[in-house]
Amino acid sequence: MRELKLNYKRTFLIGFAFFGILLLWQVYDSWCPTFLTDIFAHRLYGMTSAELKQSDPGLILNVQWLVGIIMACDNLAALILLPVFGSLSDRTHTPIGKRMPYILTGTLVAAIAFPFIPLFFHNHNIAGMIFMMAVVLIFMMMYRNPAVALMPDITPKPLRARANGIINIMGYLGGAFATVLGLFLKLSDYINVTDRAGRLWLIETPFIAGSVLMVISALVLFFTVRENELAVEMAEDMAEGERQAAVATPVDDGAPMSRANRQMLLAILGAEFLWFMADNAVGTYIGNYVIYYLNASSGATMILTIIGGLASVIGFAFGGVIADKIGRKWTITAGLALSAAALLVMILVRPTETVTGANGEYAFPVLLYGVWVLKGFGMSLVHICSFPMVVELCSSAKIGRFTGYYYASSMAAQTVTPILLGFIFMRSGVWHALPVYAAVLLAVSCLLFTLLVKNIRAGKIANTRGLEAIGGDD
């Protein structure tokens, strides 16, 4: 049986697609929920969110319901568009490939629209701001599905968990850049002041930088990854990967999906829906949790992101090895259990009373850093294995469609969870609803995944490892 070898250099280059994706989403998720909180506070109560927090902190929680609706509406559009662009790119044939036209078009339009979000916010134009958020999200959906499908297009099935680890490391480098910008351009330095004249640059710079780097990453991808040439070059390895795939029954393009494989797909997508509900809830509201509940600087959120990102990179680096040893199922199960445990610890976090910031912010609770290390490592084990498990169940002709299924499940979760948690905030009146909500969803997801997903291991695979695996990069 012929050995399969991962081309690390090429996989890193493909990772530039994910670099641009996570760079944009990190800026989007870190800034936009707070923009919405502030603009709704101004519209509903005639005060900035900082003034409202001092006047009646409970009203900030009421505003989160509206924030959740707006964030969810964007995701609803993505839920519809992701499978559409996935299927379209499967059937597209151009001189530059089937994924690249969507990647380039989506990048260009999203990059142009992105800096207008803070500009409209600064000018209290809520309609313009929400419209630009929608434009960015729609064209990033055009970009995202084909960009993610590019890796399994030219990576044999047994090697995809390791390749996905590399892709995710590249993505987290993009997210880390956005996070570093947030350390120096603190959103709280804008939000917590009354006179904001001359401060537009504080919130505009991260969006402009994100657009520029996203365009650069797409150009690097375009000039270094030749889709059509690689499809021909990798044809033999892809066929061997099909023979060695870890599936219940062999995948046959000419036959309907087997019952066993369909059950596996539905179980994975169902568990994924729950864990994305949990993960997106934390990602959407952590910035507001830090500013409005912990009364800490927004810079602390960026440090959290860096720490969690470093833990995730470790998980991405070793997750493929762990999956080789114990199988993808138990790797994901362990990651979900660890993340749920970390969020249960988060329930113990309370605001400190030590004033450290220039705007009266409090010191950041150290315990939360430990929570983010465990959660970051745990969720990296989940993400590195889950996407390869989904595209393992299809042939190369349907990778875009199955990528669409994967992201449709995640986007459905991200459509529901901001509204649901916003409603829970409003009804409960406590910020601790965040870790409880996320921990419960992760625990249920872990149970569902453990009971319904089979641990199919491709033990017959003889993958090359270590330095030997890098030797063939040309």
Side-chain angles (χ1 to χ4, degrees):
M1 182 177 295
R2 191 165 53 82
E3 291 183 338
L4 295 173
K5 181 166 57 175
L6 182 64
N7 188 314
Y8 283 83
K9 176 183 175 181
R10 184 170 61 228
T11 306
F12 271 110
L13 290 171
I14 294 172
F16 272 96
F18 213 49
F19 176 94
I21 290 170
L22 280 200
L23 171 63
L24 182 138
W25 288 129
Q26 184 60 51
V27 175
Y28 186 94
D29 286 340
S30 295
W31 274 264
C32 287
T34 304
F35 287 173
L36 290 169
T37 298
D38 192 82
I39 207 164
F40 281 131
H42 186 268
R43 283 300 180 97
L44 295 176
Y45 303 107
M47 293 182 278
T48 66
S49 57
E51 292 168 340
L52 186 60
K53 180 177 69 173
Q54 293 176 351
S55 172
D56 188 344
L59 292 179
I60 289 291
L61 284 164
N62 289 348
V63 171
Q64 301 312 304
W65 167 251
L66 293 171
V67 173
I69 289 175
I70 298 302
M71 298 298 285
C73 285
D74 286 349
N75 292 326
L76 181 60
L79 173 62
I80 299 168
L81 293 172
L82 276 169
V84 170
F85 287 125
S87 294
L88 282 175
S89 65
D90 279 341
R91 300 193 299 269
T92 297
H93 301 282
T94 74
I96 60 173
K98 58 183 179 179
R99 316 293 183 192
M100 205 62 71
Y102 298 92
I103 293 172
L104 296 178
T105 303
T107 298
L108 178 63
V109 178
I112 292 172
F114 201 43
F116 284 94
I117 294 174
L119 181 62
F120 281 122
F121 164 69
H122 182 73
N123 290 300
H124 305 292
N125 187 335
I126 189 170
M129 175 185 161
I130 292 174
F131 175 76
M132 284 301 170
M133 289 171 64
V135 170
V136 168
L137 189 134
I138 288 169
F139 280 90
M140 281 305 292
M141 292 310 104
M142 178 185 286
Y143 174 115
R144 183 168 189 160
N145 191 317
V148 174
L150 194 56
M151 181 274 285
D153 275 344
I154 52 177
T155 305
K157 287 184 175 180
L159 303 178
R160 288 175 184 170
R162 293 192 176 210
N164 201 38
I166 294 171
I167 296 296
N168 276 277
I169 288 173
M170 288 295 291
Y172 271 73
L173 289 176
F177 185 87
T179 302
V180 170
L181 283 175
L183 281 174
F184 294 100
L185 302 166
K186 295 179 182 178
L187 179 55
S188 55
D189 287 347
Y190 181 97
I191 292 295
N192 289 335
V193 298
T194 303
D195 183 8
R196 297 173 177 177
R199 288 179 176 254
L200 175 61
W201 65 274
L202 268 173
I203 55 174
E204 188 66 70
T205 303
F207 285 76
I208 293 175
S211 290
V212 170
L213 287 174
M214 190 168 63
V215 170
I216 292 173
S217 68
L219 292 176
V220 169
L221 183 71
F222 174 70
F223 285 113
T224 59
V225 177
R226 304 291 187 180
E227 270 192 80
N228 293 339
E229 295 174 14
L230 287 173
V232 175
E233 178 187 327
M234 294 298 298
E236 189 176 335
D237 281 356
M238 296 299 290
E240 181 64 26
E242 288 288 348
R243 290 189 287 271
Q244 299 181 10
V247 292
T249 57
V251 174
D252 184 355
D253 236 357
M257 192 175 191
S258 72
R259 181 178 179 182
N261 285 352
R262 186 182 299 108
Q263 289 176 342
M264 176 86 81
L265 176 64
L266 293 175
I268 295 169
L269 294 179
E272 178 204 352
F273 176 82
L274 294 174
W275 78 58
F276 266 103
M277 280 189 71
D279 206 29
N280 181 255
V282 175
T284 298
Y285 287 108
I286 187 61
N288 288 353
Y289 176 91
V290 168
I291 292 174
Y292 301 117
Y293 172 63
L294 297 180
N295 298 312
S297 166
S298 63
T301 308
M302 301 306 164
I303 296 174
L304 265 187
T305 304
I306 291 173
I307 290 174
L310 289 174
S312 296
V313 167
I314 294 171
F316 291 136
F318 293 100
V321 177
I322 295 171
D324 284 349
K325 298 292 184 185
I326 66 175
R328 291 173 183 169
K329 170 184 176 175
W330 295 114
T331 303
I332 290 175
T333 299
L336 290 171
L338 182 62
S339 300
L343 288 166
L344 286 174
V345 174
M346 185 178 168
I347 298 171
L348 304 176
V349 173
R350 296 288 187 276
T352 66
E353 295 184 356
T354 305
V355 178
T356 59
N359 296 310
E361 294 110 346
Y362 292 170
F364 193 76
V366 176
L367 179 61
L368 207 51
Y369 292 132
V371 168
W372 243 245
V373 169
L374 296 178
K375 186 184 81 67
F377 182 79
M379 290 310 296
S380 71
L381 298 182
V382 174
H383 294 314
I384 193 177
C385 294
S386 55
F387 176 63
M389 287 185 79
V390 170
V391 291
E392 195 97 342
L393 297 168
C394 72
S395 68
S396 59
K398 296 179 180 177
I399 286 174
R401 180 186 301 178
F402 276 64
T403 301
Y405 294 158
Y406 179 84
Y407 280 110
S409 178
S410 70
M411 284 298 170
Q414 293 175 70
T415 300
V416 173
T417 205
I419 299 175
L420 179 58
L421 183 53
F423 178 76
I424 292 172
F425 278 140
M426 186 173 67
R427 301 295 296 177
S428 67
V430 294
W431 281 101
H432 275 111
L434 174 59
V436 172
Y437 173 90
V440 169
L441 285 170
L442 285 176
V444 175
S445 174
C446 183
L447 181 64
L448 176 67
F449 192 85
T450 303
L451 292 177
L452 298 182
V453 176
K454 295 180 180 179
N455 190 37
I456 300 173
R457 296 180 61 190
K460 60 184 177 290
I461 299 171
N463 293 337
T464 53
R465 299 172 181 272
L467 294 176
E468 180 188 357
I470 307 177
D473 288 351
D474 296 321

